[in-house]
Amino acid sequence: MMRNDLVDVGFMSLDQAIAFQIDTGLELCIAQVLDYSNGADALIVRPGTNLKEGGKTINLGLNGTILSKYMLNRAEDNQILDKGNINIIFAENNIAELYVNGKIDAAITSEPQLSRLVSLGAAVVFSSADIPGEVVDVVVSKTSVSQSRTKALSFLRDRVWVAGLLYLNTKKTDERSKSNFHPNAVDVAYVDNLSGIKLLTGEQSQKILKNSLNGIVDNIFSHLVEMEEYSINQSPQLRACSSH
């Protein structure tokens, strides 16, 4: 919708924001860093699967998003796997089904499918917790809007987001307490899923915007180039909004 001028501000992962800015050429900036994945995105394997075993091809489920490809690339950087041994099977929302039916022996996935796969016996061998601060969700604004609506963006950060954090932290406490009496409470899964995401305060967001955002953007883009998603001359013009 931002592409068609229907909205001026959007929520997306940083890798999506980088790709969106390059693809559209829109003048965008990062108004806030909301959270980073701290284990909610992961590479799982069937027990006994060796991702670096020479001469054996491993079927790995992948949903085809830039993030999943990025995680695959980072897993190889960390010597968890050798992509030469990997046969990628693209899947959308049926990775768990493919695993159960023996069609894949490994996958890169996220919550809530991640928890389901672990409950089925899959082992996490690499996750976003191993690359802290790289898998990030952000608020993206058109640059012109960030300059003309600074009070609105500040309200979003200092009032709306703070209220949301308070609600989520309260819900986590309530549901965890509830689980002590009702082990099968439906919302316990919600709490477990959220535990793999580090929610950031406005102050923490400001620190990242000022000190490390540019480095994170450049690092992600370098991997996108390595993955042949983009060429080096398409360097993103995506930085923190000037009001920050």
Side-chain angles (χ1 to χ4, degrees), residues 84-124:
N85 298 335
I86 300 298
N87 175 46
I88 294 177
I89 296 179
F90 289 104
E92 290 299 326
N93 299 315
N94 63 332
I95 284 181
E97 179 183 341
L98 292 174
Y99 181 88
V100 170
N101 293 332
K103 302 294 185 182
I104 58 174
D105 291 308
I108 290 179
T109 188
S110 58
E111 297 292 4
Q113 287 200 80
L114 175 57
S115 289
R116 184 185 176 195
L117 287 163
V118 170
S119 72
L120 293 171
V124 174

Side-chain angles (χ1 to χ4, degrees), residues 81-199:
L81 56 78
D82 179 350
K83 285 193 290 188
N85 298 335
I86 300 298
N87 175 46
I88 294 177
I89 296 179
F90 289 104
E92 290 299 326
N93 299 315
N94 63 332
I95 284 181
E97 179 183 341
L98 292 174
Y99 181 88
V100 170
N101 293 332
K103 302 294 185 182
I104 58 174
D105 291 308
I108 290 179
T109 188
S110 58
E111 297 292 4
Q113 287 200 80
L114 175 57
S115 289
R116 184 185 176 195
L117 287 163
V118 170
S119 72
L120 293 171
V124 174
V125 293
F126 179 76
S127 80
S128 51
D130 297 307
I131 48 173
E134 292 189 29
V135 181
V136 182
D137 290 318
V138 296
V139 176
V140 179
S141 171
K142 292 180 179 177
T143 302
S144 59
V145 172
S146 73
Q147 295 169 347
S148 63
R149 302 293 300 277
T150 55
K151 288 185 178 180
L153 288 175
S154 294
F155 181 81
L156 177 67
R157 181 191 65 232
D158 300 332
R159 299 290 295 277
V160 177
W161 181 243
V162 169
L165 287 179
L166 179 62
Y167 170 79
L168 290 172
N169 287 331
T170 300
K171 188 173 180 65
K172 285 172 67 176
T173 300
D174 289 348
E175 297 304 335
R176 184 57 69 198
S177 176
K178 183 192 298 182
S179 71
N180 292 333
F181 302 97
H182 304 283
N184 296 319
V186 173
D187 280 346
V188 172
Y190 158 88
V191 176
D192 291 337
N193 292 346
L194 195 59
S195 66
I197 299 174
K198 173 63 177 176
L199 300 171

Side-chain angles (χ1 to χ4, degrees), residues 38-106:
N38 191 36
D41 302 89
L43 166 61
I44 60 91
V45 299
R46 193 180 302 277
T49 300
N50 184 348
L51 294 175
K52 298 180 70 176
E53 183 178 350
K56 183 177 181 180
T57 300
I58 304 298
N59 291 327
L60 183 144
L62 201 71
N63 63 17
T65 63
I66 287 179
L67 176 58
S68 64
K69 295 175 184 178
Y70 178 80
M71 289 289 293
L72 181 65
N73 220 47
R74 295 296 281 122
E76 185 172 49
D77 288 345
N78 283 267
Q79 301 182 341
I80 304 298
L81 56 78
D82 179 350
K83 285 193 290 188
N85 298 335
I86 300 298
N87 175 46
I88 294 177
I89 296 179
F90 289 104
E92 290 299 326
N93 299 315
N94 63 332
I95 284 181
E97 179 183 341
L98 292 174
Y99 181 88
V100 170
N101 293 332
K103 302 294 185 182
I104 58 174
D105 291 308

